[in-house]
Amino acid sequence: MDVRVTGHQQDVADSLRDQAIGRMESIADKYFSRAVAANVTFSPGPQNDFICDIVAPVTNGVVLKAHHRAQKSDIAFEAAADKIETQLRRYAKRLREHKGNGADALIENAGYTIFAPQQEDADEDEGTAPAIVAETRVDIPEASVSDAVMLMDLRNTSALMFKNSGTGELNMIYRREDGNIGWVEPQDR
């Protein structure tokens, strides 16, 4: 596994570099030997603390990401590495379930609601709309709903648009404030 440890506006001590390389290699060996690389970046935080970001591309466009901030750089790294390890463990478990004993049963028993779009008030001032901060272009994966949930967890995002492999339609899943997953699919007209 190729582990790159860098410092953004700070130098990384050799002991911290060795700790990061050793831990990332052991995580990959334990859960997912197909992980080919990991980028570990340390940077100073805004309140005299340290930030550690880990980005680890796994396979088929799946990229694991973790971020943690702490008073010491080694603590920030260990917490971010724990998040990556949790994501890899979940990913490996879902892959085993998908290959084995009927992961599609989750879809059959899923309850979901199709939400109608909200009507905007005609009197509403256009100046109150939030600014678009950033736009990104991403590939939209083709997946089942359960695989899309796994991808959303692995990408560490709060929402994911995907092409439903069962219907061929664009769908979206998102993490609700209560921790559950919401699923939006287009309404037949």
Side-chain angles (χ1 to χ4, degrees):
M1 177 177 199
D2 178 28
V3 180
R4 294 187 179 142
V5 181
T6 58
H8 179 70
Q9 299 178 349
Q10 77 177 45
D11 292 329
V12 178
D14 289 339
S15 61
L16 183 58
R17 184 181 310 276
D18 293 341
Q19 175 187 2
I21 290 171
R23 175 82 191 274
M24 295 307 297
E25 287 177 345
S26 69
I27 289 171
D29 290 342
K30 184 175 180 181
Y31 291 105
F32 207 73
S33 60
R34 290 185 283 180
V36 293
N39 294 318
V40 181
T41 306
F42 294 95
S43 58
Q47 300 168 343
N48 290 332
D49 53 359
F50 297 93
I51 298 171
C52 178
D53 291 303
I54 301 174
V55 178
V58 180
T59 181
N60 297 333
V62 175
V63 178
L64 304 178
K65 296 178 183 178
H67 170 87
H68 196 79
R69 198 167 97 190
Q71 291 299 317
K72 293 185 176 183
S73 55
D74 59 336
I75 295 172
F77 167 72
E78 287 298 329
D82 288 344
K83 292 176 184 178
I84 290 289
E85 186 171 8
T86 300
Q87 292 173 11
L88 271 175
R89 185 175 41 241
R90 286 181 187 160
Y91 183 58
K93 179 182 176 190
R94 290 210 175 146
L95 284 177
R96 284 191 304 273
E97 288 174 355
H98 185 69
K99 289 180 183 177
N101 51 8
D104 293 332
L106 294 172
I107 297 173
E108 294 173 1
N109 296 330
Y112 61 93
T113 304
I114 300 173
F115 298 97
Q118 295 180 349
Q119 298 294 325
E120 295 183 19
D121 293 337
D123 299 335
E124 190 174 340
D125 183 22
E126 290 183 21
T128 61
I132 297 174
V133 176
E135 294 183 22
T136 58
R137 296 173 79 78
V138 296
D139 293 326
I140 297 176
E142 183 169 346
S144 66
V145 177
S146 60
D147 288 345
V149 171
M150 175 181 62
L151 284 172
M152 183 177 71
D153 286 343
L154 290 173
R155 292 179 178 181
N156 201 18
T157 61
S158 58
L160 175 73
M161 180 176 279
F162 66 101
K163 184 175 180 182
N164 190 325
S165 59
T167 63
E169 298 285 334
L170 289 178
N171 287 196
M172 185 184 85
I173 56 171
Y174 61 96
R175 186 161 312 278
R176 297 166 33 126
E177 288 183 20
D178 62 5
N180 293 320
I181 302 294
W183 173 20
V184 180
E185 67 178 344
Q187 182 177 9
D188 292 334
R189 293 183 181 194

